[in-house]
């Protein structure tokens, strides 16, 4: 994890440097214009935003590593498989509800592009999929 944090900070510094180089280069490429008219704003602003996004990810991964309290077994190259936590969560490999949920979201978004009459149908299927996924352990063969 520490390597990932350092990598994101290095990328943020690189994109910040490239934003400065790109902006200065665009000013020097057009010496006859006033400096604020010579700047190619789209590329300069895009590089600044990429720098800010890399810094945000670096900040987030640093905070996560700090909250973990050190190096996890999954992050160590010398750790065995048995060193990690055996319980990673509860998953339903037989469940079809995530596929129905994704299809309903796709139907609603296609409705935004094609025809507004499809959006309520997509939202209705979305509600059915959410209810089905939440309550799949309370009915049928896998009821508890």
């Amino acid at each position: 994890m520490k390597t990932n944090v350092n990598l994101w900070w290095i990328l943020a510094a690189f994109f910040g440097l490239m934003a400065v180089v790109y902006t200065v280069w665009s000013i020097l490429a057009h010496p006859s214009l006033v400096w604020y008219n010579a700047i190619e704003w789209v590329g300069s602003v895009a590089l600044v935003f990429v720098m800010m996004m890399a810094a945000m990810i670096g900040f987030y991964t640093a905070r996560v590593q700090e909250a973990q309290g050190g190096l996890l077994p999954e992050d160590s190259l010398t750790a065995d498989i048995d060193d990690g936590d055996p319980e990673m969560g509860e998953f339903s490999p037989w469940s079809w509800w995530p596929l129905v949920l994704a299809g309903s979201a796709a139907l609603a978004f296609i409705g935004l592009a094609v025809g507004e009459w499809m959006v309520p149908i997509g939202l209705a299927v979305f509600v059915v999929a959410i209810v089905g996924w939440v309550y799949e352990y309370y009915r049928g063969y896998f009821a508890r």
Side-chain angles (χ1 to χ4, degrees):
M1 187 78 148
K2 185 68 173 169
T3 306
N4 293 339
V5 173
N6 292 337
L7 176 68
W8 286 109
W9 288 117
I10 290 169
L11 279 173
F14 171 75
F15 284 120
L17 177 67
M18 287 302 107
V20 170
V21 167
Y22 187 83
T23 304
V24 169
W25 195 334
S26 68
I27 291 171
L28 294 176
H30 303 290
S32 62
L33 297 175
V34 182
W35 70 270
Y36 53 84
N37 287 333
I39 296 175
E40 201 280 306
W41 289 102
V42 175
S44 299
V45 171
L47 283 169
V48 168
F49 281 155
V50 170
M51 176 201 63
M52 291 183 344
M53 285 188 277
M56 180 181 64
I57 294 172
F59 175 76
Y60 174 76
T61 53
R63 295 288 296 181
V64 167
Q65 183 185 9
E66 181 182 317
Q68 288 173 355
L71 192 66
L72 293 178
E74 295 87 6
D75 297 329
S76 175
L77 296 176
T78 59
D80 292 328
I81 293 175
D82 296 336
D83 292 339
D85 187 15
E87 183 65 38
M88 298 300 284
E90 184 176 336
F91 304 103
S92 304
W94 62 83
S95 180
W96 286 87
W97 289 113
L99 188 64
V100 175
L101 189 68
S104 68
L107 184 66
F109 279 110
I110 287 173
L112 290 174
V114 176
E116 292 84 11
W117 59 272
M118 292 175 69
V119 175
I121 297 170
L123 291 176
V125 176
F126 184 82
V127 169
V128 170
I130 287 288
V131 170
W133 199 6
V134 167
Y135 290 109
E136 75 178 334
Y137 287 115
Y138 296 103
R139 57 187 171 80
Y141 183 70
F142 299 105
R144 295 184 184 187

